[in-house]
Amino acid sequence: MQKLLIIGYVWPEPNSSAAGTRMMTLIKLFLERGWQLRFASPAQRGGHEVDLAALGVASDEIALNNISFDHYVADYSPDMVLFDRFMMEEQFGWRVEQCCPSALRVLDTEDLHFLRDARHRALKRGRSVEAGDYCSDMAKREVAAIFRSDLTLMISSVECELLTSQFSVPPSLLLYSPFMLPPPRPLEALPAFEQRRHFISIGNFRHAPNWDAVLQLKQKVWPLIRRQLPEAELHIYGAYPPKKATELHQPKQGFLVKGWAEDAQQVVSDSRVLLAPLRFGAGQKGKLVEAMQCGTPSVTTSVGAEAMASLEGWPGAVCDDWQDFADAAVALYRGEGWQQSRLRGRALLSDRYDAQQLGDALMAKVTELAASIEQHRQSNFIGLMLRHHHHKSTQYMAQWIEAKNRQS
């Protein structure tokens, strides 16, 4: 039986974030294909993490800058190690290479952190992203981790293109691997238009693009909608709402901050239109895919829809002007194009997110790499060079920190 070790940046919380859902999809895929799994993370448990033991997956807490991980990974001797985001490759990549040199080292970016960061910084400066914005320290770290890995899973085709064109990353190091979704429930089994009420917005409050979107709703979008629909309500859900978010709760204005959703799919299915006024971000947006699954039309921005569908084929509307955004939301809420939007969502799910097809492609790539791993690594000289210099410096720093911790 082949063995996979996943090193998680956080413990998977599928009800809190798209990243948690993505991680659980990967875990279930490898389980279904007969692999043995262990999940390890240096993060604190948040209280909403999934019960991995119930799935037959062992989970372990690991320490940063500690030789105990070397013994741990050597004892398990995985065939493949999956790093959840580039920070985990930075911390543990050199240890995996030293202790298990034949194991495949695969990076799952979730999305490109440096792209989201560049867009955020440009937004704060009131301008569009320029080529120079990508040359940040975060970009250097993340792209270096991609070069050092045997394979990187990319959720966005736009980000694949950015890496190959801007940073000359060889396509052989990347695999386009978006959300892998099972067939959705038939639209007839979901609440009909007449059974639904309210607008909805959903997203983890700890994720900066989501918090910014809530502020845009409060300050810009919702007043425009309420002028046309004075009795409408907007229900805002999301994990870990801070006090500054709950203070926005104003029932008289129909602006209701609900916080944690026990069943996200249920609250989205009960809503008439989902609103996602995202001004920056990266990757693909789990909330928008979830809306498609629930047969709920959505209104978002070009950033929100990026790498998910054409503007014309969007299951709802894509608008970057707030008045246009509000008008489109009101029209859908009143039923204009509502059913057609649901049908477009079903077409997108079938065309782009088929779990069987995407899962087969990932497993085929893993099998291909395992059979030619030395040749694959030798052809990636930049990766060899970066591994040599990074791993040496990281190793000595980690050993220094470990020695210092023993003395304290």
Side-chain angles (χ1 to χ4, degrees):
M1 179 182 289
Q2 292 178 291
K3 295 189 288 187
L4 168 64
L5 172 64
I6 301 175
I7 302 180
Y9 178 65
V10 294
W11 295 94
E13 296 185 8
N15 290 332
S16 299
S17 68
T21 301
R22 162 78 163 184
M23 179 53 67
M24 290 310 303
T25 299
L26 293 172
I27 287 173
K28 291 177 181 178
L29 171 65
F30 279 90
L31 287 174
E32 290 167 359
R33 303 303 171 103
W35 285 56
Q36 176 184 327
L37 268 67
R38 297 190 77 91
F39 187 99
S41 177
Q44 292 185 338
R45 299 176 188 265
H48 297 300
E49 64 274 4
V50 74
D51 183 0
L52 293 172
L55 299 174
V57 177
S59 61
D60 303 283
E61 297 179 7
I62 53 177
L64 299 174
N65 305 307
N66 195 304
I67 199 172
S68 62
F69 177 82
D70 298 17
H71 303 308
Y72 170 78
V73 72
D75 288 344
Y76 185 52
S77 188
D79 298 282
M80 172 177 156
V81 176
L82 178 68
F83 301 103
D84 173 26
R85 287 165 264 203
F86 77 91
M87 297 79 83
M88 294 298 95
E89 190 280 335
E90 284 183 329
Q91 287 287 338
F92 297 100
W94 67 273
R95 293 183 182 274
V96 171
E97 182 173 2
Q98 281 192 346
C99 300
C100 303
S102 62
L104 291 180
R105 299 185 293 273
V106 179
L107 171 62
D108 185 29
T109 59
E110 300 291 354
D111 58 41
L112 285 180
H113 292 62
F114 78 82
L115 176 59
R116 181 182 350 126
D117 178 67
R119 287 172 169 170
H120 195 184
R121 285 185 287 108
L123 180 66
K124 290 178 179 178
R125 295 184 176 99
R127 58 171 176 79
S128 301
V129 178
E130 300 170 357
D133 294 325
Y134 298 136
C135 299
S136 63
D137 287 346
M138 183 178 291
K140 295 168 189 172
R141 292 172 57 197
E142 191 164 20
V143 175
I146 290 169
F147 270 105
R148 287 192 299 264
S149 301
D150 296 322
L151 182 69
T152 295
L153 307 183
M154 300 299 302
I155 203 168
S156 164
S157 57
V158 170
E159 294 177 8
C160 289
E161 171 62 24
L162 176 63
L163 288 173
T164 55
S165 62
Q166 182 82 14
F167 299 98
S168 301
V169 175
S172 60
L173 296 181
L174 307 175
L175 178 67
Y176 173 58
S177 184
F179 294 115
M180 305 177 198
L181 305 175
R185 295 171 61 194
L187 288 176
E188 296 76 16
L190 295 167
F193 178 83
E194 295 78 10
Q195 297 172 294
R196 296 171 179 245
R197 301 178 60 204
H198 313 312
F199 292 92
I200 188 172
S201 177
I202 190 166
N204 191 318
F205 283 95
R206 289 180 176 175
H207 192 52
N210 290 339
W211 170 238
D212 180 76
V214 170
L215 292 178
Q216 300 313 304
L217 286 168
K218 175 65 175 177
Q219 299 166 5
K220 306 288 181 61
V221 177
W222 189 240
L224 297 174
I225 291 176
R226 282 277 286 192
R227 288 176 193 170
Q228 301 181 63
L229 298 171
E231 302 302 318
E233 293 182 5
L234 170 59
H235 293 189
I236 298 178
Y237 290 90
Y240 305 107
K243 183 179 180 181
K244 62 183 179 181
T246 57
E247 287 176 345
L248 298 179
H249 181 79
Q250 292 185 314
K252 290 184 179 180
Q253 296 180 8
F255 196 90
L256 308 177
V257 180
K258 297 281 189 172
W260 173 266
E262 290 293 337
D263 188 336
Q265 289 226 346
Q266 187 61 56
V267 296
V268 176
S269 296
D270 289 340
S271 303
R272 195 171 286 183
V273 180
L274 182 138
L275 305 179
L278 296 160
R279 297 196 299 167
F280 66 99
Q284 294 188 339
K285 314 306 181 292
K287 61 178 69 63
L288 297 173
V289 170
E290 190 167 56
M292 297 180 210
Q293 292 177 298
C294 297
T296 305
S298 59
V299 184
T300 189
T301 60
S302 55
V303 169
E306 181 179 87
M308 297 182 71
S310 65
L311 302 189
E312 299 77 18
W314 188 257
V318 179
C319 308
D320 291 318
D321 175 82
W322 293 143
Q323 185 63 62
D324 293 341
F325 191 104
D327 292 344
V330 169
L332 283 167
Y333 192 83
R334 288 172 171 165
E336 300 173 25
W338 195 83
Q339 186 62 27
Q340 295 92 322
S341 294
R342 282 155 56 94
L343 294 174
R344 288 198 294 271
R346 279 300 182 270
L348 281 173
L349 292 174
S350 175
D351 292 344
R352 303 196 179 197
Y353 302 106
D354 180 77
Q356 185 66 45
Q357 180 180 356
L358 294 167
D360 287 347
L362 173 54
M363 300 310 298
K365 187 65 175 181
V366 167
T367 301
E368 173 193 331
L369 284 178
S372 59
I373 189 58
E374 289 307 318
Q375 180 182 354
H376 178 75
R377 288 173 178 169
Q378 291 301 318
S379 66
N380 176 21
F381 182 77
I382 293 178
L384 291 171
M385 181 174 59
L386 289 170
R387 279 161 50 198
H388 172 79
H389 290 288
H390 171 82
H391 289 354
K392 290 295 183 184
S393 60
T394 303
Q395 174 185 349
Y396 297 143
M397 176 60 73
Q399 290 172 339
W400 178 80
I401 293 173
E402 184 177 2
K404 184 178 179 182
N405 289 339
R406 284 198 300 267
Q407 294 173 2
S408 60

